[in-house]
Amino acid sequence: MFAGGTTMPTSDTAPVLPGALGARPILSLRDRLRGKRLGMPWSVPEAMFHEPLVRQKTPIGDIFYIGDPQLARHVLVERAAEYPKAEIELRLFSALFGQGLLGIDGELWKTHRRTMAPAFAPQAVATYAPAMAGSAEAFVGRWSKLADGAVVDASDEMTALTLTIIARTMFSGEGEGLEPLIQEVLRGAPQFSDFNMLDFIPVTRALRMRGREKRMAALFRPLDDAIAGMIAAREAAAVAPNDLLSRLIAARDETTGAGLSAQEVRDEVITIFMAGHETTATAMTWIWFLLAKHPQEAARLRTELDAALAGRTPTQDDLAQLPFTRRLVDEALRLFPPAPGISARVARAEDELAGVRVRKGAFMVIAPWVLQRHRSTWEDPERFDPDRFLPERSEGRPRLANMPFGAGPRVCIGQLMAINEIVFILATLAQHYDLELASDAPVELKHNVTLRPKGGLPMKVRRRSRTAAAVAAE
Ligand code: HEM
């Protein structure tokens, strides 16, 4: 995990590759000990964007930066069992989310994942469509109260929307009271991902971790109590709505028949809340940014939406009729992966990667930010070009060249849900509004688990009139 900030140019043709961002800052040992870090894209060596593998020798051991999709596949898919997630990250997540998927490993993780998988399978995800599209439609109402051209922070607005969506998907109508409690946790949580070298030295690590865990428990307590109350109420209810919470409570491991305990359901609910809304909000924020910078692609999007939907709120069946919208989403997730660096993996045993010896304990950094901009795989990688995801242009591209949701057994469980949600939001809002950047000031990147515009993204909300195609279709 990385944290930090850097500046990105905003002109239409400006490349967004790190190489174009000026000189790489240098951190002194003192800075590092004080917890200051470079963040994406500075935290990765520039060589990574053209080399398959870069090794860095550090006081805590070797760090391998992987840029080649086949090597990433070796670590994340083929030898996944030999490359578990780094313990320090699992501990941090388990302090935050208890025994939710992000904080557990081994047999316990396998059981939870197997038990929960049906709640994220295509058939289940299709049942969440009305909550997603309905929330987006309600959001159109919120913006309709704004004066034309009013300035909003796109980042905050998208967070509010995705929070509503995850609350409705999880708890049907009962989740609204949770939003202020979640906001509180979100405000306090970033400080806990601020690792520094003291976290890698066993004696200081134990002390620092204990203090961190205590503070985290205090931060989460009000939210925990509220969620525990909702789970208890649901378990006692005679008739339960068909939402994600009901599915988690009813879930049974297909091998053993066992379900999740009330505590485990609580942990998974918190995990899904946190993992499932910040990422989609980030994706939507960058989509508005990219559309504002690329009017031609925005026009193509509107034409497709108007022809397929003619002003209607999309349904599950409409998703298949929006191929350009989907390509645009894929391309935005390529250029701005909301989780630009997945959890580090640690070699459990000796291995060899591209002829280089990997010692036991070596750290593996596999970053979507890098793989998805790697010069060996992508032509003109910094250009926004949704059509690169056309089937004919995707032939022969290694699967892990594009991995915004990770890969292998620990791939994002909410991948399908996320894609559908983003398409629902975009297809609903873009039929009614265009967003323009409110300022020419450079956008700075802020990486703290997710990659966001630092200080938010001020944008003007403009009402739009439908195209001739839409009017003709009515
Ligand atoms: C654009 C949106 C999203 C992105 C880019 C994203 C990305 C990721 C990535 C990269 C991982 C793997 C991390 C690793 O290997 O270290 C992951 C894991 C996970 N994601 Fe997502 N995610 C998104 C949306 C969601 C949603 C909507 C949910 C739930 C509703 C969700 C729940 C999870 C969970 C529970 C895990 C842990 C899985 C496990 O370890 O078994 N994510 N996500």
Side-chain angles (χ1 to χ4, degrees), residues 225-240:
D225 292 347
I227 289 181
M230 292 173 81
I231 294 171
R234 183 64 68 81
E235 281 176 329
V239 186

Side-chain angles (χ1 to χ4, degrees), residues 248-288:
L248 290 182
I249 292 173
R252 294 290 175 269
D253 182 335
E254 60 184 20
T255 322
T256 65
L260 300 172
S261 69
Q263 180 63 39
E264 287 172 324
V265 171
R266 170 271 171 208
D267 291 347
E268 293 299 1
V269 165
I270 298 242
T271 302
I272 291 165
F273 247 95
M274 294 304 170
H277 89 279
E278 166 99 1
T279 40
T280 38
T282 306
M284 271 314 306
T285 306
W286 289 119
I287 287 173
W288 292 125

Side-chain angles (χ1 to χ4, degrees), residues 244-414:
L244 190 46
L245 179 62
S246 294
R247 286 181 191 272
L248 290 182
I249 292 173
R252 294 290 175 269
D253 182 335
E254 60 184 20
T255 322
T256 65
L260 300 172
S261 69
Q263 180 63 39
E264 287 172 324
V265 171
R266 170 271 171 208
D267 291 347
E268 293 299 1
V269 165
I270 298 242
T271 302
I272 291 165
F273 247 95
M274 294 304 170
H277 89 279
E278 166 99 1
T279 40
T280 38
T282 306
M284 271 314 306
T285 306
W286 289 119
I287 287 173
W288 292 125
F289 171 80
L290 288 163
L291 286 172
K293 306 283 300 162
H294 298 86
Q296 281 186 349
E297 305 302 339
R300 291 176 72 193
L301 171 71
R302 285 196 294 268
T303 303
E304 176 170 280
L305 296 179
D306 289 346
L309 303 170
R312 272 188 304 113
T313 303
T315 63
Q316 179 70 25
D317 290 342
D318 290 318
L319 297 181
Q321 312 309 321
L322 302 172
F324 178 74
T325 312
R326 173 61 200 267
R327 290 203 296 280
L328 191 146
V329 170
D330 284 339
E331 176 67 343
L333 290 172
R334 180 188 73 81
L335 265 177
F336 291 102
I342 66 167
S343 304
R345 304 306 206 253
V346 178
R348 184 172 264 161
E350 283 240 344
D351 195 8
E352 203 183 280
L353 279 182
V356 181
R357 181 176 172 205
V358 176
R359 287 176 208 276
K360 186 176 167 189
F363 276 80
M364 301 288 146
V365 177
I366 302 176
W369 175 271
V370 173
L371 280 137
Q372 296 174 189
R373 289 161 179 262
H374 206 273
R375 285 158 211 160
S376 69
T377 326
W378 299 97
E379 201 186 307
D380 211 357
E382 66 271 35
R383 203 159 69 82
F384 179 60
D385 175 13
D387 285 347
R388 65 171 91 234
F389 284 100
L390 279 167
E392 58 273 26
R393 285 181 59 192
S394 304
E395 258 169 45
R397 185 184 297 143
R399 153 73 188 85
L400 267 70
N402 191 47
M403 47 166 297
F405 296 97
R410 299 211 64 147
V411 68
C412 176
I413 199 170

Side-chain angles (χ1 to χ4, degrees), residues 94-106:
S94 64
L96 284 169
F97 311 136
Q99 300 199 328
L101 282 180
L102 281 169
I104 52 180
D105 206 8

